[in-house]
Amino acid sequence: MRYLWAVPAAVIGWFLAGFAPSYLAGLPDAATTFVPASSSRIDLLVLGGFAGGVAAGFLLGRIRYAVPLVLVVAGGTWWLSGHTLSGRELLITLLAASAVGAFFGALGTRSSVVAAFALALPLAWYAARPAGDLSPDFRWLWQLNGLLVAVGLTIVLYVCCWRRGWRSAYFWPVLIATYLVSFAVVDGVRAVASTAGRSSDEIADAGTDGFFQAFEPLLREYWPWMVLAVLLAIPMTALKLRALPPPPPPLDPYAGRTNDAVLSDDLDWIDQHEPERKLLARYHRTTPEEAGSSEEIAPEPAVFVPSREDREDG
C-alpha cells in the first residue's frame, strides 16, 4: 500500500526538485519544451536530473524501484516534449544523472551519512541559482549568497547525524569538503554548457577554469558564513538527539526460560532433593586383651553418616 502514494510522489518530486526552479524562472530563449534540445542546457540536464533523482529515491527508498522509475519518467518526459532521437547524447545524460541521483537517494533512506553526501550537490546548485540571476551591484548580494551557503551546509551536517548521532560527526570534514567541491562542479558544468559548439580543447579549458575558480570566492568571502553554519549545526544536532527517547534496553535471550535451561549439567545437583541420612552407631574396636576383660564396651555416640547411595556417589 505504501507504493500507491510513493510512486506518484516520486514522479512529482523528480520534476519539482530538478526542474521546477527553471520553469519558475523561465527557460532561456523563450523555450516552451521540457528542456531545449541543445547542448547549451547540459547543466540543467545533469544537475536537474541528479537533484530530481535524489528526491525520487528518498520517497521510494528502494533502489530496484527508484532507478527504473526515474529512467521511465525521464525518457517519457523527453519524448512527450517533442524531442527526437537526434539528441540522444542529451537524453543519455539526463537518464544517467537521474539514475545516479535515484541510487544515492535510495541509499540515503538507510544511512543518513549517504543522504548528506547525496544532498550536497543539489543544495549547492540551489544556493548558487539566485546569485546568478542578480546583478553584481546588488546591495545584499554578499549577505544573500552567504546565507544560502550557510543554510545548505547546516542542512547537510544536520542530516549526517540524523541516525547515528555524534558518531557521524567524524564525517563532517569530508562532508564540508564535498560541499565545497559541489559548488566547483556546478560552476564547471555551467562553464562547459556555455562553450557548447566549440572545440574539445576549449570546452575542457573552460570546464577546468570554472571548476578551480569556484573555490576562491567561497574561501575568501564566504568562510564566515560556513563557520556560522558549523556552529549552528552543533546545537541543532544536540537538541535533536536530546529530544529522542532513550533506546530500549537490550533483550534478554533467557527471559522466557527457566534456570534449568541456563545451568549446565554438572550443576543439576542444586535442584535435587538432599538424600536422607541414616543414624548408625560407631563402635570402638578392641584389642585381644581388652576383649577378654569382663567390662562392657560402651558404644561411641551416634553420628550421622551418609547412606549407601551417598557412598556410591563418592
Side-chain angles (χ1 to χ4, degrees):
M1 296 297 293
R2 175 179 178 272
Y3 294 101
L4 293 179
W5 63 266
V7 173
V11 175
I12 298 174
W14 177 82
F15 179 78
L16 292 179
F19 303 97
S22 299
Y23 273 82
L24 294 176
L27 290 174
D29 301 331
T32 57
T33 56
F34 170 62
V35 175
S38 61
S39 57
S40 61
R41 298 305 297 163
I42 190 174
D43 57 340
L44 182 60
L45 296 176
V46 175
L47 302 175
F50 183 83
V54 170
F58 270 127
L59 293 173
L60 286 178
R62 299 290 182 134
I63 299 177
R64 61 177 180 269
Y65 297 146
V67 174
L69 179 65
V70 296
L71 292 178
V72 172
V73 173
T77 308
W78 182 269
W79 177 72
L80 292 175
S81 300
H83 298 309
T84 60
L85 294 178
S86 58
R88 59 184 179 182
E89 293 84 2
L90 299 177
L91 175 60
I92 293 174
T93 302
L94 176 62
L95 295 178
S98 300
V100 172
F103 176 79
F104 284 104
L107 288 180
T109 58
R110 304 178 183 179
S111 175
S112 59
V113 177
V114 178
F117 280 97
L119 290 174
L121 182 60
L123 290 177
W125 182 42
Y126 293 143
R129 288 182 66 88
D133 299 333
L134 298 175
S135 59
D137 56 350
F138 183 70
R139 180 179 179 182
W140 303 102
L141 184 62
W142 182 82
Q143 289 84 349
L144 177 61
N145 291 345
L147 180 61
L148 294 177
V149 170
V151 169
L153 182 58
T154 302
I155 294 175
V156 169
L157 298 179
Y158 179 73
V159 172
C160 180
C161 299
W162 183 267
R163 287 185 177 271
R164 298 181 58 192
W166 291 117
R167 291 179 294 175
S168 300
Y170 294 106
F171 294 94
W172 280 13
V174 182
L175 192 57
I176 294 174
T178 304
Y179 186 69
L180 295 177
V181 172
S182 299
F183 282 96
V185 171
V186 171
D187 291 346
V189 173
R190 288 180 175 177
V192 170
S194 62
T195 57
R198 302 181 183 179
S199 62
S200 58
D201 294 338
E202 294 179 356
I203 294 176
D205 294 339
T208 304
D209 294 340
F211 180 85
F212 288 102
Q213 290 178 1
F215 293 100
E216 182 179 359
L218 289 173
L219 299 178
R220 187 185 68 248
E221 300 179 4
Y222 300 125
W223 67 266
W225 291 97
M226 301 184 67
V227 174
L228 178 62
V230 175
L231 297 178
L232 182 61
I234 294 175
M236 287 178 59
T237 305
L239 291 175
K240 186 262 178 186
L241 297 177
R242 186 175 181 180
L244 292 177
L251 297 177
D252 186 7
Y254 304 106
R257 302 171 63 180
T258 61
N259 292 335
D260 294 338
V262 181
L263 297 176
S264 59
D265 296 337
D266 57 346
L267 297 177
D268 287 344
W269 58 270
I270 296 178
D271 296 335
Q272 295 179 359
H273 295 286
E274 185 178 358
E276 297 180 357
R277 304 294 181 175
K278 293 182 179 181
L279 184 60
L280 298 179
R282 179 182 297 176
Y283 293 94
H284 177 67
R285 292 183 179 181
T286 59
T287 60
E289 293 79 6
E290 295 176 349
S293 62
S294 59
E295 297 181 358
E296 295 182 358
I297 301 175
E300 294 183 359
V303 296
F304 290 101
V305 296
S307 63
R308 181 180 303 174
E309 298 179 355
D310 295 338
R311 296 194 190 96
E312 293 177 356
D313 292 339

